[in-house]
Structures are given as C-alpha cells and as structure tokens.
Amino acid sequence: MATLTDRAAWFIGASAQCDTTPENTGHVWHLVLLGPPGVGKGTQAEGLTQALGACHLSTGDVFRASKSTPVELRSPALKTALGAMGRGELVSDDLVVEMVRERSGCFRCQGGFLMDGFPRTVAQAQAFDAMLEEKGIALDAVVSYDLPLDEIVARLSGRRTCGTCKAVYHVTARPPKVADVCDACGGALLQREDDQPESIRVRLKAYEESTRPLEEYYRGTGRLVPVSADGSPDAILQRTLEALSQIAPTGGA
C-alpha cells in the first residue's frame, strides 16, 4: 500500500519539503483527472493514490489549505491569487499557471502524480504540457469522469469534507464511522460553501463553458480515457484501473 505524502511542497510551494513521499515500485504514473464538480474526483484520487502510489495534487486543496497557512509562507502567486479572490475577481489563467509552476517540483515526485483541478482551460493545458516538457515528463493519460446532472446534484448535497486533513465523505454513500467526525484524523466534517445549490449551478455552468473543451483537446492528443462515474466509489475505482491497464505507459521520467 502506498505511503501518503503530507504534500507540504504542494501546499506551500518550492520553499517547503514533504516529510514523506509515496512508495512506488511499479510504473510511475502521471495523470490528470477531469470531470464536473460532484463526480467524485477527490474520492477516486484517494483510491488511485493507494493503488498506483501517486501523489494527489489538487489546486483546490491549495486554496483551502491557504486559509490556515501563515501569510509569510504563502507563495507569491498564491498571495496574488488570494488577493484577487478577496476582491471578487476571477483568477486569470496566467496566475493559476504561475501558481502551479511554483510547485512544479512536485511533478518529479518519485511516486508520480494525479493532477486534480488543473488544467481547467485549454490555455492552462497547453501551459501544463510545456511545463512537463521542460522537465522531461510525459503525461500518461487524462481520466475524464462523467455522470448525469441529477446524480451530480445528489452527490454534492451530501458531500462532507474534513476541515483538517481534507478527506472526503458522503452522508449516505460513504459515511464516517462517527457522524460528522473524520475517520482518519478526528477532525470535524463540514459542507463546503461551494456545495450549496446556488454555488453548484455556477460551478457546473463554468465547467461546461471552460473545462469541457479540454476533453476535445486531450482527445486530439490521444490521451483521453473516458470513465463512467456511476456506481459506488469502489466500482468506479476498479473501472478506472481497468481503463488504465489498457493503455501503454509512456515511460516518462
């Protein structure tokens, strides 16, 4: 089973070092996870981390963790992005790309990576490809999860996230052993603000407008691996692993 990294280098940036790194004795996978909010990318990333030994790199986790990160430890691009968000402005593609670039050392993690939440636009995908090329790393596949809209709404309304370790649960599909308490660390389970109905509608609209074109972009490069997100987390994970087993690993560094 994989050893979970603390992801300090990802949360804080180049100034930090992870205390632990994933153990990986097989192929080092480099993957992007795509799919609209609510399909369960975070849950699948946890399972894939264990199965493949890869590190889960989520841009959403960076923003959420920044609330408890001392200001002096926040990277320059993250500080600028948080300032823009605080003013109610959109974070530009260039700024998001720079925030990821500050953490690009994580791309060479010995366990590989699962990129979640980035890229969100074709421009970001092109910039990401350039970053990987600079480091001599090849992207193995882009796993694209899909689920009907009514299923997405049901999942989001019941999702709960640990405020401490960011583990994800669901009140019916994946409940904790003790209500509102994280199994892993004992932290309080919370409903994220962006899981409120009005936020869900905004997020889905934004996904359709900006992120759906990524599927065509990656399909054109031959790296898109579609996976149905219907069913239990275990069933979806097995479906994902089976789909990945059908592709030839790139052998990138």
Side-chain angles (χ1 to χ4, degrees):
M1 181 175 290
T3 298
L4 298 181
T5 175
D6 58 9
R7 297 182 293 170
W10 180 249
F11 289 141
I12 298 174
S15 63
Q17 295 292 323
C18 297
D19 290 334
T20 57
T21 56
E23 297 175 359
N24 193 327
T25 58
H27 174 69
V28 177
W29 288 91
H30 303 116
L31 303 172
V32 167
L33 305 183
L34 284 184
V39 296
K41 293 192 301 296
T43 299
Q44 291 308 304
E46 291 178 16
L48 289 168
T49 293
Q50 295 290 343
L52 304 178
C55 186
H56 180 202
L57 305 180
S58 166
T59 50
D61 281 353
V62 171
F63 284 118
R64 285 184 284 273
S66 68
K67 297 178 181 178
S68 58
T69 301
V71 174
E72 64 272 16
L73 294 181
R74 296 174 183 172
S75 64
L78 180 59
K79 289 179 182 178
T80 304
L82 291 172
M85 293 169 66
R87 295 188 298 272
E89 301 171 0
L90 293 176
V91 179
S92 68
D93 275 353
D94 288 346
L95 190 52
V96 174
V97 167
E98 185 55 34
M99 191 185 78
V100 172
R101 191 185 303 278
E102 289 175 338
R103 293 157 174 78
S104 60
C106 293
F107 300 159
R108 298 195 66 85
C109 179
Q110 67 181 30
F113 63 76
L114 310 170
M115 183 63 70
D116 175 11
F118 178 89
R120 288 185 180 273
T121 67
V122 172
Q124 290 179 10
Q126 292 169 336
F128 185 43
D129 282 346
M131 279 187 249
L132 293 178
E133 185 176 359
E134 289 172 4
K135 293 186 175 296
I137 297 171
L139 193 62
D140 289 292
V142 177
V143 180
S144 181
Y145 292 106
D146 195 24
L147 193 68
L149 179 59
D150 57 343
E151 291 283 346
I152 291 176
V153 173
R155 286 191 182 180
L156 289 178
S157 63
R159 186 167 64 177
R160 299 294 183 270
T161 303
C162 177
T164 302
C165 73
K166 312 306 176 187
V168 179
Y169 298 83
H170 192 278
V171 293
T172 57
R174 195 187 182 199
K177 295 177 182 177
V178 178
D180 301 323
V181 178
C182 178
D183 294 345
C185 72
L189 300 184
L190 309 170
Q191 184 178 42
R192 288 168 23 182
E193 292 182 7
D194 54 0
D195 283 343
Q196 299 296 327
E198 60 275 13
S199 298
I200 293 172
R201 288 191 291 270
V202 172
R203 291 162 64 200
L204 290 176
K205 181 179 179 181
Y207 180 83
E208 290 294 333
E209 292 178 350
S210 63
T211 311
R212 280 290 186 189
L214 278 177
E215 292 185 2
E216 294 305 316
Y217 173 79
Y218 282 123
R219 183 176 288 109
T221 65
R223 290 174 288 181
L224 192 72
V225 177
V227 175
S228 169
D230 189 29
S232 70
D234 286 345
I236 300 165
L237 176 61
Q238 185 59 38
R239 198 176 297 139
T240 303
L241 293 173
E242 289 175 357
L244 291 176
S245 72
Q246 300 302 310
I247 68 174
T250 61

